[in-house]
């Protein structure tokens, strides 16, 4: 009886022992910093002040966040980033993947376009950013020169120097870099769909668009939902490409939350306010992730 009880105890405890190292790492490197960030956001302090010189201000840093016009500009830009990224990186990539997996293109053409479209995603963000800064240069850049040559000189802009075009130029470059990567993930998902479904649809007279809508889209639903979640969260965490191309300018017009947080914390040395911004940023991404996970779960249950 004693050995039976010990066996049950081991069976009960063993899974938790395997989970314990991961749990400890998560507590030390994820959950503890979150709690510590919230504590830091309740004080005014900088990198040169010891903790004994921190000044307690309660929720004043959070009140300042919601009175800060640059914060709302950043939120608006992050929302634009998310909406355009979902439309291009997720929806348009799915269309591209279906086209490259169809019989409309030869095998050589399909392989060629996969390689060409995927290539930007393996390049470093700094290389991408600097290259496009040169291409978008208003006087010597390729983009304005091409517009001149095709008779569209009226739509020329100082793309990264005007408040109305800076953030959309950066978002466009980001789509150029990552669309091919998401497309490859959709191609893998499409290849997992049983080919017999397409053959049966063709025998029944379904055209390419009907096959895409009734077979491909339901077949990649899980990948679609996961990619949407990752893309939206990524849009609210974006930092590198914006910092390389515009650093949030001109006049904060292309500022995003990640950028603004860095500027406040490491340029202005207002660590308490930066901690409050980080807390708000965490709550936004957490709420979006939670809502999407719930939505994904509801969609999965409805289709079972």
């Amino acid at each position: 009886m004693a050995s039976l009880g010990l066996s049950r105890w081991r069976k009960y405890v063993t899974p938790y022992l395997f989970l314990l190292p991961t749990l400890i790492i998560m507590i030390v490197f994820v959950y503890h910093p979150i709690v510590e960030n919230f504590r830091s956001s309740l004080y005014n302090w900088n990198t040169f002040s010891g903790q004994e010189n921190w000044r307690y201000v309660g929720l004043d840093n959070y009140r300042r966040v919601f009175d800060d016009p640059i914060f709302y500009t950043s939120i608006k830009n992050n929302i634009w980033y998310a909406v355009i990224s979902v439309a291009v990186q997720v929806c348009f990539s799915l269309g591209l993947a279906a086209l490259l997996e169809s019989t409309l293109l030869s095998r050589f053409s399909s392989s060629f376009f996969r390689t060409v479209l995927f290539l930007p995603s393996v390049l470093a963000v700094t290389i991408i950013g600097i290259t496009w800064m040169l291409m978008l240069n208003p006087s010597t850049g390729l983009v304005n020169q091409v517009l001149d040559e095709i008779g569209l000189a009226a739509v020329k802009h100082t793309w990264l120097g005007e408040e109305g075009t800076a953030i959309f130029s950066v978002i466009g470059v980001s789509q150029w870099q990552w669309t091919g990567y998401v497309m490859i993930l959709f191609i893998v998902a499409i290849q997992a769909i049983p080919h017999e479904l397409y053959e049966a649809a063709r025998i029944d007279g379904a055209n390419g668009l009907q096959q895409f809508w009734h077979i491909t889209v339901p077949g990649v639903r899980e990948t679609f939902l996961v990619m949407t979640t990752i893309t939206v969260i990524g849009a609210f965490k974006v930092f590198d490409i914006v910092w390389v191309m515009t650093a949030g300018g001109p006049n904060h017009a292309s500022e995003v939350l990640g950028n603004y947080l860095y500027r406040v914390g490491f340029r202005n040395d207002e660590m308490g306010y930066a901690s409050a911004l980080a807390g708000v940023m965490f709550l936004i991404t957490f709420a979006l992730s939670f809502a999407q996970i719930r939505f994904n779960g509801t969609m999965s249950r409805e289709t079972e």
Side-chain angles (χ1 to χ4, degrees):
M1 289 296 289
S3 62
L4 184 60
L6 183 61
S7 174
R8 285 180 177 173
W9 185 81
R10 283 179 177 168
K11 187 177 179 182
Y12 178 78
V13 168
T14 300
Y16 293 100
L17 291 177
F18 279 104
L19 288 172
L20 187 60
T22 304
L23 185 62
I24 291 173
I25 291 172
M26 291 289 287
I27 290 172
V28 172
F29 293 104
V30 178
Y31 297 116
H32 175 259
I34 290 172
V35 174
E36 188 62 25
N37 178 77
F38 177 71
R39 188 180 77 85
S40 302
S41 70
L42 302 178
Y43 294 84
N44 271 348
W45 58 286
N46 60 54
T47 49
F48 298 102
S49 60
Q51 286 206 16
E52 66 277 7
N53 295 321
W54 288 18
R55 186 166 62 85
Y56 181 76
V57 294
L59 297 176
D60 281 358
N61 282 327
Y62 290 94
R63 294 190 190 95
R64 183 182 164 190
V65 167
F66 293 109
D67 289 335
D68 186 347
I70 301 176
F71 169 73
Y72 290 105
T73 300
S74 304
I75 284 280
K76 183 187 72 176
N77 288 338
N78 279 111
I79 291 172
W80 273 118
Y81 217 109
V83 170
I84 295 174
S85 295
V86 169
V88 177
Q89 289 183 34
V90 181
C91 299
F92 183 62
S93 290
L94 174 58
L96 277 178
L99 178 63
L100 294 181
E101 277 299 292
S102 72
T103 55
L104 295 174
L105 298 177
S106 67
R107 190 170 178 179
F108 173 79
S109 298
S110 177
S111 300
F112 173 77
F113 283 113
R114 287 183 204 193
T115 305
V116 169
L117 293 170
F118 179 73
L119 193 60
S121 66
V122 302
L123 299 176
V125 171
T126 46
I127 294 174
I128 296 283
I130 292 171
T131 302
W132 274 98
M133 284 171 69
L134 295 173
M135 293 175 67
L136 293 170
N137 185 290
S139 54
T140 60
L142 180 65
V143 173
N144 278 353
Q145 291 182 32
V146 169
L147 291 174
D148 262 335
E149 290 297 324
I150 62 176
L152 294 175
V155 298
K156 284 168 52 179
H157 283 280
T158 306
W159 299 101
L160 299 176
E162 295 179 19
E163 294 184 12
T165 57
I167 186 62
F168 295 106
S169 300
V170 176
I171 293 173
V173 171
S174 184
Q175 309 315 305
W176 175 83
Q177 182 177 15
W178 294 113
T179 297
Y181 178 80
V182 179
M183 179 198 73
I184 292 295
L185 297 179
F186 276 126
I187 285 176
V188 174
I190 291 172
Q191 289 174 344
I193 298 173
H195 205 64
E196 293 78 9
L197 294 176
Y198 291 102
E199 290 178 355
R202 276 194 289 271
I203 292 171
D204 288 342
N207 59 34
L209 189 61
Q210 290 170 324
Q211 290 175 40
F212 171 76
W213 192 250
H214 294 290
I215 299 175
T216 304
V217 172
V220 301
R221 184 188 64 251
E222 295 293 334
T223 304
F224 186 89
L225 294 174
V226 170
M227 293 315 304
T228 303
T229 304
I230 292 173
T231 302
V232 170
I233 293 172
F236 277 87
K237 295 195 307 181
V238 66
F239 168 77
D240 42 16
I241 189 68
V242 180
W243 190 257
V244 169
M245 293 188 70
T246 66
N251 194 28
H252 300 290
S254 62
E255 208 82 71
V256 291
L257 284 175
N259 248 53
Y260 190 44
L261 168 62
Y262 178 83
R263 184 187 306 284
V264 169
F266 297 99
R267 292 293 180 90
N268 303 346
D269 202 11
E270 298 176 275
M271 287 299 182
Y273 186 46
S275 299
L277 280 170
V280 173
M281 193 172 161
F282 167 75
L283 289 176
I284 291 171
T285 52
F286 179 80
L288 287 172
S289 305
F290 183 76
Q292 286 193 305
I293 290 170
R294 289 294 301 269
F295 177 72
N296 294 353
T298 304
M299 289 283 290
S300 298
R301 283 194 295 274
E302 287 178 353
T303 53
E304 284 176 358

